[in-house]
């Protein structure tokens, strides 16, 4: 089934406590290559039938209104993914 | 700064209550094009310096051990993203 992927990340100026916790845990587990971690969200929207431009426009609108909080988050990606 | 993106999704057979809540809310807001929603996580790992194959291997290992719970989640993507 065709899917639309929406990626949402906290805005750069917003504190990300989960990312901070992960970046603290990584070196304790031997992963020393990383300077920072930000944690965001990934949504997969399935569509029955074809993904038209109108459907993609709905996805973009939903991403900005329901899937993200525009005060603290950015929608960084809305794209169609083939299976 | 170069980044590695790690995408984690709940396994298909695992219930995703947040996705269910979103798929219920979408039509109430006028978004009627979507049959299903799954919510996962997106991590952005920043690296100081070059992203070598060794760094990418660390990211893959961290994705499987720290960033996801292999019992209920799949790592669906580990890739380098240019700014």
């Amino acid at each position: 089934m065709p899917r639309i992927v929406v990626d949402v990340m906290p805005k750069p100026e917003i504190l990300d406590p989960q990312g901070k916790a992960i970046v603290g845990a990584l070196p304790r587990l031997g992963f020393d290559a990383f300077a920072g971690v930000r944690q965001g969200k990934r949504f997969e929207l399935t569509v029955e039938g074809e993904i038209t431009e109108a459907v993609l426009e709905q996805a973009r609108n939903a991403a900005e209104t329901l899937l993200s909080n525009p005060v603290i988050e950015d929608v960084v990606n809305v794209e169609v993914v083939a299976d």
Side-chain angles (χ1 to χ4, degrees), chain A:
Chain A
M1 196 139 51
R3 282 172 300 156
I4 299 172
V5 168
V6 175
D7 291 314
V8 174
M9 294 300 293
K11 284 183 190 288
E13 67 272 22
I14 297 288
L15 194 68
D16 172 13
Q18 292 176 100
K20 282 263 180 251
I22 293 166
V23 87
L26 281 166
R28 290 199 297 272
L29 294 167
F31 304 115
D32 55 9
F34 308 107
V37 178
R38 306 282 286 171
Q39 179 175 340
K41 290 179 280 188
R42 174 189 165 102
F43 301 92
E44 291 186 0
L45 314 178
T46 48
V47 176
E48 271 166 14
E50 207 187 338
I51 297 182
T52 60
E53 183 51 41
V55 171
L56 207 48
E57 189 57 33
Q58 272 202 23
R60 287 193 201 100
N61 287 339
E64 295 289 348
T65 54
L66 179 64
L67 303 180
S68 71
N69 176 346
V71 178
I72 57 167
E73 293 170 323
D74 288 324
V75 177
V76 295
N77 195 32
V78 179
E79 67 175 342
V80 179
V81 172
D83 261 325

